[in-house]
Structures are given as C-alpha cells and as structure tokens.
Amino acid sequence: MAKLILTLDGAFLGEHDLDKELLTIGRRPNNDVHIDNLAVSGSHAVVRTIGNDSFLEDLDSTNGTIVNGKPIKKHILQHGDIIELGKYQLKYVSEAAVNAAAVGGGAEDFEKTMIIRPSATKSVIPPPNAPPPDASTTTTVQEALKQEPPLPIQEEAPVGHIQVLNGPSAGRELVLNKALTTLGKPGIQVAVITRRPQGYFVTHVEGTSHPVVNGQSVGAQAHELKDHDVLELAGVKMEFFLSKG
C-alpha cells in the first residue's frame, strides 16, 4: 500500500494511506487530507488509486499543484514524488518500491528506460544457431511497464497481447493478463490499458499528446482496442492482438 506524508517546513503533520479509490485534498474540512491554509483551494486536488497505481489530478485550484518543482494537471505518482500545495508538502511513498530497494531492487530512472525481466516477456523465434538466452540478463525497452495482480481468466476468454514493433526490443511480447498495465514514460507520455469484461481499453493519463491507435489520436476518453490495432506511445509502436490463452 502507498501513502502520503504531510509536512510543513520539514515538520511531520501526519500520513494518509491510499487505501481507497479516491482521496481528496483541500482546505474544506470534509477532505481526506485537510489543509487549513488560504493558499490551498477548498477542493484542491484528488488522488485516484487503481490497484498499485495512483494518479494525482489538480482540480483547477487557484494556485495550482506542483510535483517535484513542476506544475501539473494530471500526474502518475512515483515513489519519492514531492507534491507541493502552498508551503505544505505531501511525499508519495510506495511500500512496494521500499521493499524492492530493501532487497536490492531500487527504482529505475524513467527518463531513461524501464527494465523488463525476461520472465515477463516472450521473444520472437531466434535465428538458427543463435545462442540460448541468458535468464539472468535483462532486456530494456523504451516504455515503462508496471502491472497489477492478475484477474481471474475464463478458459475461453481471449487474452490480449502487445508486441513491440520498432526499436531495439522489436518482437518482444507482453501478455495483458492483469487488471491494469501502465505504459509510457512518466513526465513525457503515459497511458494505461485496462482489462474489463467488455474487452481491453487504453486511456491517456499524462503528457501533452494522447496515444495514437491506427494513426488516430484516442483523445481523453477510454478507447477500446481491437484485434491487430497498432498503438503508438512515447515513440514506441506496438501491435495489440488477441489469442486464446
């Protein structure tokens, strides 16, 4: 579980677990995070949590919301992010990231590339006489990927896959058997693919430009993915396709 730690001038004021889908921040007393200061709007911002992902959204506040020194409208929170509201600060702490660091995992630099371990991907058929892959190595791709716990899968339900079409990781595949998969580069362009009973949907989360499907922008609303759609995100082209199991 993640949490927000509230401070003022370095003094600890409290912490708030992100244990529900919606957490409100503002000056009004009915907010989950109540900050009684005139620099903070009555309904200043909100944090929406889906699985292990939390998204911060400014609610058109008077003075705006700052994350790591930059004003944002919508932002996918990463471990260690500092949210500024007037003189107050909220630090986002992810227990998953803390636990990973404790065992030597550490956090990746998302401005570079996220690392996907071979167990999470499947490569295309290697050429003849190619040496076997080293299971201890990792393969980098240009989009950051995070996943949530798997949904129960009906035996006959088609499962979504994404195959990278360009760049050094062309041919790599990712099985979308999770409730939610986050793709992209935080601070540049981020989208989520959600698995619903009706199918798979891609939704824009962060960035000035929206994801592109088959050459057309998906806009701000959730866009249903069809078999063999080509998705372009943060400079990476990926093909979405369905298969049995």
Side-chain angles (χ1 to χ4, degrees):
M1 181 190 303
K3 60 186 175 182
L4 295 174
I5 299 175
L6 179 63
T7 60
L8 174 63
D9 297 327
F12 174 81
L13 298 180
E15 63 180 54
H16 303 268
D17 291 332
L18 298 176
D19 55 0
K20 59 180 181 178
E21 183 176 350
L22 201 67
L23 180 137
T24 59
I25 305 169
R27 194 175 70 250
R28 295 195 184 104
N30 62 340
N31 283 285
D32 298 303
V33 181
H34 175 220
I35 302 176
D36 188 10
N37 185 276
L38 290 176
V40 178
S41 296
S43 295
H44 196 105
V46 65
V47 177
R48 304 178 191 274
T49 298
I50 305 174
N52 290 333
D53 282 329
S54 294
F55 306 94
L56 172 68
E57 182 177 356
D58 180 79
L59 298 178
D60 294 323
S61 63
T62 301
N63 293 311
T65 301
I66 308 296
V67 177
N68 301 330
K70 297 180 180 180
I72 62 94
K73 291 300 291 182
K74 187 179 289 189
H75 174 81
I76 181 169
L77 289 167
Q78 304 294 328
H79 176 64
D81 278 352
I82 302 296
I83 305 164
E84 297 179 50
L85 305 101
K87 294 183 178 180
Y88 290 79
Q89 291 188 336
L90 286 163
K91 182 176 182 179
Y92 176 75
V93 177
S94 167
E95 289 188 3
V98 172
N99 292 338
V103 296
E108 294 296 332
D109 180 0
F110 289 102
E111 292 296 328
K112 297 177 182 176
T113 55
M114 189 70 177
I115 294 179
I116 297 181
R117 304 199 178 277
S119 60
T121 59
K122 179 177 65 176
S123 62
V124 293
I125 299 175
N129 303 321
D134 181 357
S136 66
T137 62
T138 58
T139 302
T140 60
V141 297
Q142 291 186 337
E143 76 275 12
L145 296 176
K146 293 186 300 183
Q147 296 183 324
E148 301 305 317
L151 288 173
I153 300 175
Q154 297 179 359
E155 193 170 318
E156 297 301 321
V159 178
H161 298 247
I162 282 219
Q163 184 177 57
V164 180
L165 300 178
N166 64 342
S169 296
R172 291 283 176 176
E173 291 182 15
L174 176 68
V175 182
L176 301 173
N177 61 350
K178 314 297 179 182
L180 180 148
T181 302
T182 304
L183 303 171
K185 293 182 179 180
I188 299 176
Q189 191 179 33
V190 176
V192 293
I193 295 179
T194 53
R195 188 180 186 189
R196 306 179 186 176
Q198 306 96 315
Y200 289 85
F201 293 79
V202 60
T203 306
H204 173 75
V205 172
E206 181 183 351
T208 55
S209 60
H210 297 125
V212 171
V213 174
N214 301 330
Q216 299 293 321
S217 171
V218 302
Q221 303 301 316
H223 177 88
E224 184 176 4
L225 291 171
K226 303 295 186 182
D227 198 19
H228 298 299
D229 275 351
V230 175
L231 169 67
E232 186 170 354
L233 181 70
V236 177
K237 289 186 177 181
M238 298 162 274
E239 180 184 3
F240 170 81
F241 63 94
L242 296 167
S243 69
K244 295 287 186 180

